[in-house]
Amino acid sequence: NTNHLDEQQVQLMAEMCILIDENDNKIRTDTKKNCHLNENIDKGLLHRAFSVFLFNTENRLLLQQRSDAKITFPGCFTNSCCSHPLSNPGELEENNAIGVRGAAQRHLKAELGTLLEEVHPHEMKYLMRIYYKAQSDGIWGEHEIDYILFLRKNVTLNPDPNEIKIYCYVSKEELKEIMKKAANGEIKLTPWFKIIVDTFLFKWWDNLNHLNQFVDHEKIHRM
């Protein structure tokens, strides 16, 4: 029953996500709602997703706190933009992850208000994929193969308040303080963001102009 949930977020639950096997091979499609119900996740339902890490030209990372209206992980701090490629011809294109990157361009506009002409899919650096599973609460969760995309550019920001509660650019030192607050239980992080920060992010951040050394499109990192 979704009657008690935010109407706009419930409408988004009708979007058609891309179901995959554990090696990221497309199987079929299903609604975002069905993909995020723990009862289906427990049966093995797995879908494709992406996480964008957007840096400005001062090498500060854009963070956001998810709106309290969000159905999964409301109020959690996370990376710049996260969502799913949908089952349409453009976003199903797998060559060099161009479909996923096109989906990221679309969602940067929908979530952050970034103009489509400001960010071209080819400008996003596709680094790698991570596999993870996490419960948000007793009903909803995530089970994804998540494409990690990097972008370093100054862009327009006009976030949708139904998606984003607050946002800010942070330095590495400021992010480390945020991670300490999360460890102390003062704030909450999305599970995928915590995994990426703990495992990969700072070495990537130290090499923003030399990211090619970290590109790995063959392996799926199983977290």
Side-chain angles (χ1 to χ4, degrees):
N1 187 346
T2 57
N3 290 341
H4 63 292
L5 300 174
D6 180 83
E7 182 179 352
Q8 183 174 330
Q9 292 295 323
V10 169
Q11 288 174 354
L12 292 172
M13 282 289 182
E15 292 179 337
M16 298 300 290
C17 292
I18 303 166
L19 295 187
I20 50 178
D21 64 18
E22 292 196 355
N23 294 311
D24 196 20
N25 297 306
K26 179 181 175 294
I27 301 172
R28 58 184 177 89
T29 62
D30 208 333
T31 63
K32 184 178 175 184
K33 177 183 177 181
N34 285 338
C35 289
H36 290 82
L37 285 167
N38 289 330
E39 63 185 76
N40 294 329
I41 291 170
D42 291 341
K43 296 173 186 174
L45 221 61
L46 173 67
H47 63 278
R48 198 173 278 164
F50 62 82
S51 290
V52 178
F53 288 76
L54 171 62
F55 296 82
N56 65 15
T57 53
E58 296 175 348
N59 293 342
R60 295 172 69 87
L61 173 63
L62 181 68
L63 296 189
Q64 60 155 286
Q65 183 182 18
R66 289 163 67 87
S67 162
D68 293 331
K70 298 289 284 184
I71 293 171
T72 56
F73 303 100
C76 292
F77 284 84
T78 194
N79 52 287
S80 315
C81 180
C82 325
S83 191
H84 317 90
L86 301 180
S87 180
N88 63 54
E91 295 182 15
L92 284 166
E93 174 58 53
E94 295 181 350
N95 184 37
N96 203 20
I98 193 63
V100 171
R101 292 190 288 166
Q105 179 198 38
R106 169 180 58 79
H107 210 72
L108 282 166
K109 181 179 189 302
E111 195 167 293
L112 289 167
T114 301
L115 303 177
L116 289 175
E117 59 267 25
E118 287 184 316
V119 177
H120 192 277
H122 289 288
E123 292 181 282
M124 299 181 209
K125 174 71 76 175
Y126 161 39
L127 289 183
M128 63 170 60
R129 294 168 289 177
I130 66 166
Y131 168 101
Y132 78 97
K133 177 162 49 173
Q135 285 195 351
S136 177
D137 56 27
I139 299 172
W140 305 98
E142 289 284 7
H143 189 205
E144 301 179 331
I145 290 180
D146 193 15
Y147 285 64
I148 310 306
L149 305 175
F150 266 45
L151 178 66
R152 182 173 177 265
K153 194 170 192 180
N154 295 332
V155 298
T156 301
L157 296 175
N158 184 25
D160 178 353
N162 191 260
E163 294 284 338
I164 296 174
K165 193 171 184 178
I166 60 173
Y167 65 98
C168 59
Y169 282 99
V170 298
S171 64
K172 280 179 275 194
E173 292 70 27
E174 288 166 336
L175 179 56
K176 289 174 183 176
E177 290 301 312
I178 288 170
M179 300 305 289
K180 288 178 185 176
K181 288 183 177 181
N184 294 333
E186 297 175 50
I187 61 172
K188 293 180 179 180
L189 305 176
T190 60
W192 63 87
F193 181 57
K194 185 177 188 306
I195 288 168
I196 294 165
V197 174
D198 289 345
T199 312
F200 302 111
L201 181 61
F202 288 107
K203 66 182 177 182
W204 292 339
W205 203 334
D206 287 336
N207 293 275
L208 284 179
N209 295 320
H210 306 282
L211 288 173
N212 283 342
Q213 63 185 304
F214 303 113
V215 170
D216 182 2
H217 296 173
E218 298 301 318
K219 181 179 178 181
I220 298 171
H221 296 259
R222 303 184 189 274
M223 318 306 289

